[in-house]
Amino acid sequence: MAWQGMAAEFLQVPAVTRAYTAACVLTTAAVQLEILSPFQLYFNPHLVFQKFQVWRLFTNFLFFGPMGFSFFFNMLFVFRYCRMLEEGSFRGRTADFVFMFLFGGVLMILLGLLGSLFFLGQALMAMLVYVWSRRSPQVRVNFFGLLTFQAPFLPWAILGISLLLGNSILVDLLGIAVGHIYYFLEDVFPNQPGGKRLLLTPHFLKLLLDPPEEDPNYLPLPEERPGTHLPPPQHWKPGGPMGAVAEGDQVLCLCSG
């Protein structure tokens, strides 16, 4: 019963958050069980572009290291802030949310080439936290019961924890930088004099992921309108042995056996 409750609760999570979190957990579990090796997952431009191992463009975002405190710490923040973004500023805009992932992933890979970074999942987590924090500047965050501060300071607090855990802060800085670029292009520049939106979600993504928009000029058929009923039986006129015809514009056929 407990597993059924957990499964039902997980299915209530928005689709993108659910898919990305599940992929990260399953990938790490496969490595832990020695079904996969990290050497099959890390980003290597030589193997991608010359050996055509294109899956490395995606799998390097799914592995957060062996299961331990660092893994659960990263998964907690990925799940929480990915979900808050998807249910908040991206609510009803799944295509835009996926496009943010794609934009951030491509930019991280290009910039990661300069720093020889092989796994970028932590950078993607930092980007999600950064974008959420900039869009929620008035929210106060209780950081594990130790500190309370405004949301824009959260990415820097996570960077400090990474430093304490002995992780490379270069990955966190990369995620913060990419998150700031996205935030500037999406939220700041379009509101400047002469500015405009430069990040336009491809139309095919909207067709694939977003619900179809309702036509404001569409007039529903009479039977689709709420409260539409057949006229009372006392207003029917005899229509012969096969049925009865109602007054007005509605017809009722009562087939007799």
Side-chain angles (χ1 to χ4, degrees):
M1 294 297 293
W3 285 106
Q4 292 178 351
M6 291 177 62
E9 182 66 24
F10 187 66
L11 291 175
Q12 298 300 315
V13 176
V16 178
T17 301
R18 185 170 67 240
Y20 182 59
T21 305
C24 292
V25 172
L26 291 174
T27 300
T28 302
V31 172
Q32 198 75 14
L33 296 172
E34 298 184 352
I35 299 172
L36 295 175
S37 166
F39 295 104
Q40 297 173 293
L41 306 175
Y42 78 99
F43 174 67
N44 184 317
H46 171 74
L47 295 176
V48 170
F49 299 111
Q50 295 190 21
K51 301 295 185 179
F52 304 106
Q53 297 182 8
V54 293
W55 66 82
R56 295 177 183 271
L57 293 172
F58 305 97
T59 56
N60 78 91
F61 291 101
L62 303 179
F63 183 62
F64 285 81
M67 286 192 178
F69 178 78
S70 180
F71 169 76
F72 289 108
F73 177 84
N74 284 310
M75 282 295 95
L76 172 65
F77 279 88
V78 165
F79 181 80
R80 177 174 175 78
Y81 292 98
C82 187
R83 181 175 185 175
M84 291 175 72
L85 276 175
E86 192 170 3
E87 291 182 338
S89 57
F90 286 99
R91 187 177 186 86
R93 298 168 52 215
T94 303
D96 292 340
F97 194 44
V98 170
F99 184 65
M100 185 192 76
F101 269 75
L102 295 175
F103 171 81
V106 169
L107 199 54
M108 285 175 198
I109 286 174
L110 294 176
L111 295 175
L113 290 172
L114 303 177
S116 299
L117 300 176
F118 303 118
F119 291 102
L120 297 171
Q122 191 171 330
L124 185 59
M125 180 271 289
M127 182 192 78
L128 294 171
V129 172
Y130 185 88
V131 172
W132 175 84
S133 69
R134 294 304 300 265
R135 289 182 170 180
S136 310
Q138 304 303 321
V139 175
R140 293 188 63 79
V141 177
N142 187 326
F143 195 65
F144 294 108
L146 301 175
L147 297 170
T148 302
F149 44 76
Q150 299 295 113
F153 293 102
L154 180 59
W156 306 104
I158 294 175
L159 186 145
I161 293 294
S162 294
L163 191 61
L164 291 175
L165 293 175
N167 298 329
S168 172
I169 63 171
L170 185 60
V171 180
D172 294 276
L173 288 173
L174 174 62
I176 290 172
V178 172
H180 183 73
I181 291 171
Y182 177 84
Y183 171 74
F184 178 81
L185 293 177
E186 183 71 9
D187 293 20
V188 178
F189 183 67
N191 297 317
Q192 301 298 313
K196 63 178 182 179
R197 285 193 66 192
L198 299 177
L199 300 179
L200 301 177
T201 303
H203 187 60
F204 79 90
L205 276 181
K206 290 184 175 292
L207 290 176
L208 184 65
L209 300 173
D210 286 346
E213 296 182 2
E214 294 186 2
D215 185 357
N217 298 318
Y218 173 73
L219 294 177
L221 297 172
E223 57 268 24
E224 295 177 337
R225 298 173 189 168
T228 302
H229 302 286
L230 293 174
Q234 59 267 27
H235 295 296
W236 296 349
K237 290 183 179 181
M242 293 300 294
V245 180
E247 293 180 342
D249 58 354
Q250 297 192 49
V251 176
L252 177 67
C253 178
L254 302 174
C255 297
S256 56

